[in-house]
Amino acid sequence: MIPYGKQDINQNDIDAVINVMQSDYLSQGPKVAEFEQAISESVGANYSVAVNSATSALHIACLALGVASNDLVWTTPITFVASANCALYCGAEIDFVDVEPTTGNMSSSALAAKLLLANANARLPKVIIVVHMAGHSCNMKAIAQLAKQHGIKVIEDASHGIGGSYQSKKIGACQYSDITIFSFHPVKIITTAEGGVATTNSKPIADAMAMYRSHGITKDPALMERPQEGDWYYEQHHLGFNYRMTDLQAALGASQLTRIDEFVEKRNTLAAIYRSQLTDLPINVVEPIEQSYSARHLFIIRLLQPDKRKAIFDAMRAQGIQVHVHYFPVHLQPYYQKLGFSVGQFPEAERFYRSILTLPLYPNLTAEQIGYICNNLRELLI
Ligand SMILES: *Cc1c(COP(=O)(O)O)cnc(C)c1O
């Protein structure tokens, strides 16, 4: 079976984890702080807060931006459910903005139209969560301009995007956002087995996220509300969680991070090989916008004959090719339907979903395997 995504673990990664096993710290210790520092330097952000998943990172990002009950958060229907669930964890309401047909990313024109209406109804979102699908950057400049006009905060769910850039700044630099989230699940660009990080340029936001990560507790004398009673003393200021990353995970992440440029270059090289072999087929390749460099988490194509998708998917799986579909629109999930969302509400997202197919892409995929995948696809399409 050729999987759709796969981690690349080398001996240095293994040694890094074993070293922590033999050290004094297994849970959050010095390696987490080192990993956070390395992430900040790599993406050009002032602060990083590492946690046990991107889902947790999205949750504490929303909390740090003050999302609470009676607030509204907007995201895109073409994403993993976690991008929407985080608002519901905070007791807020969620709504969606339709996507661009070319990238599957949040459409800035759909956003402008929805904001106009929301402004007239005095029901604006507090936070907008954009998702860089496949690692392809959203049109952040336009989205940030619209958000700014209405005082709305922006979170980038860049679970697919570490190692990519937009307008010559790394994704994660938060050039056009308040917080950026990365995932380190094994199928993503670099891995910590499970893990995630939130980057920001704001100290208060970073401090709040660090507090929510660990029970809402602070040990920082500068943040205390009362006099320090002694070395044992800590204060709980918020209702937080145990979302901490372990030193084992951080050591793996720091080791993986040293190869991030290599991983992303390899993914771009493989994507170019795919493109050269798919030129004459009745498909469109989902490609990044101008002025951006994609981390290429996923290689997504759109079939011009969507009614063939199921048969092609099943036939490719039968040939040992683990094609996939990213994503089933969140608003069509049974849970979200019960919240009141309905079929037809975000037509571009639904059209996008019906036509897409994800082809395998990961650093160790070979040109021969791409040839095999493309030959199978060709036979099924023509
Ligand atoms: C993978 C993913 C997440 C969740 O990441 P975890 O680290 O598994 O919690 C959130 N959003 C998107 C877009 C993802 O692809």
Side-chain angles (χ1 to χ4, degrees):
M1 176 69 96
I2 304 173
Y4 84 87
K6 190 173 191 301
Q7 70 275 17
D8 175 337
I9 300 293
N10 70 9
Q11 193 58 45
N12 288 342
D13 296 333
I14 294 166
D15 292 344
V17 175
I18 290 171
N19 283 340
V20 174
M21 291 291 290
Q22 294 165 335
S23 78
D24 291 337
Y25 295 91
L26 297 184
S27 183
Q28 184 172 300
K31 290 292 170 198
V32 170
E34 282 171 33
F35 182 47
E36 289 174 336
Q37 183 64 30
I39 291 282
S40 295
E41 278 167 22
S42 172
V43 304
N46 289 347
Y47 307 98
S48 296
V49 177
V51 285
N52 58 359
S53 72
T55 303
S56 303
L58 284 162
H59 185 190
I60 61 170
C62 285
L63 290 171
L65 295 180
V67 174
S69 54
N70 300 322
D71 286 329
L72 182 57
V73 173
W74 289 358
T75 188
T76 154
I78 298 294
T79 185
F80 185 57
V81 292
S83 320
N85 288 345
C86 56
L88 304 181
Y89 295 161
C90 301
E93 203 182 307
I94 190 82
D95 200 359
F96 301 92
V97 180
D98 213 348
V99 302
E100 298 172 341
T102 44
T103 59
N105 285 339
M106 184 183 285
S107 154
S108 55
S109 54
L111 177 62
K114 197 171 173 98
L115 281 171
L116 211 60
L117 213 61
N119 196 34
N121 294 332
R123 186 69 179 135
L124 285 164
K126 180 173 254 178
V127 172
I128 294 171
I129 302 174
V130 299
V131 179
H132 304 306
M133 266 301 294
H136 303 358
S137 178
C138 297
N139 188 350
M140 287 309 296
K141 194 175 178 190
I143 289 169
Q145 263 167 7
L146 288 164
K148 204 170 176 189
Q149 279 168 18
H150 300 282
I152 301 166
K153 307 279 190 203
V154 177
I155 298 173
E156 298 174 66
D157 180 347
S159 289
H160 304 178
I162 195 163
S165 56
Y166 171 71
Q167 292 188 349
S168 64
K169 286 227 164 117
K170 283 279 164 69
I171 291 182
C174 300
Q175 189 183 6
Y176 291 110
S177 68
D178 298 278
I179 301 171
T180 301
I181 300 303
F182 297 118
S183 171
F184 304 127
H185 181 278
V187 296
K188 308 285 165 80
I189 308 294
I190 60 169
T191 189
T192 61
E194 293 280 1
V197 72
T199 66
T200 182
N201 293 320
S202 154
K203 178 133 189 1
I205 290 174
D207 286 343
M209 291 195 295
M211 244 194 242
Y212 283 117
R213 160 177 68 182
S214 200
H215 308 281
I217 282 172
T218 182
K219 290 176 185 159
D220 182 352
L223 299 175
M224 298 271 177
E225 289 179 8
R226 297 200 219 113
Q228 170 93 331
E229 297 195 2
D231 240 12
W232 64 85
Y233 188 70
Y234 55 80
E235 288 182 357
Q236 183 187 349
H237 293 169
H238 303 285
L239 186 60
F241 304 87
N242 180 353
Y243 282 168
R244 290 188 300 271
M245 176 178 273
T246 68
D247 260 28
L248 294 166
Q249 293 167 310
L252 175 56
S255 178
Q256 287 261 299
L257 190 61
T258 63
R259 289 190 289 153
I260 192 161
D261 291 341
E262 187 191 309
F263 288 155
V264 170
E265 272 165 37
K266 189 73 194 291
R267 286 173 175 276
N268 274 278
T269 303
L270 295 173
I273 296 175
Y274 262 125
R275 262 198 321 276
S276 70
Q277 299 199 14
L278 296 173
T279 42
D280 56 330
L281 296 183
I283 60 154
N284 287 318
V285 177
V286 172
E287 286 287 12
I289 57 172
E290 279 176 24
Q291 292 190 292
S292 71
Y293 178 61
S294 176
R296 300 259 181 201
H297 166 50
L298 301 170
F299 192 84
I300 301 176
I301 59 171
R302 290 195 70 175
L303 306 180
L304 299 185
Q305 300 140 298
D307 50 320
K308 286 191 177 173
R309 202 260 306 264
K310 173 87 169 63
I312 290 172
F313 182 98
D314 291 343
M316 300 223 11
R317 284 269 174 124
Q319 290 300 318
I321 302 163
Q322 199 194 30
V323 288
H324 219 297
V325 170
H326 294 94
Y327 289 96
F328 181 82
V330 178
H331 71 285
L332 300 181
Q333 290 288 352
Y335 183 83
Y336 282 85
Q337 298 266 285
K338 283 177 204 137
L339 292 181
F341 294 102
S342 51
V343 178
Q345 229 178 326
F346 305 100
E348 288 299 345
E350 293 172 28
R351 254 195 296 281
F352 186 81
Y353 160 68
R354 282 194 296 271
S355 71
I356 48 176
L357 191 66
T358 300
L359 305 181
L361 182 60
Y362 49 92
N364 288 321
L365 187 71
T366 65
E368 291 68 37
Q369 287 173 315
I370 293 181
Y372 175 71
I373 294 161
C374 292
N375 285 342
N376 272 279
L377 187 62
R378 177 179 312 274
E379 274 180 29
L380 292 161
L381 274 170
I382 298 180

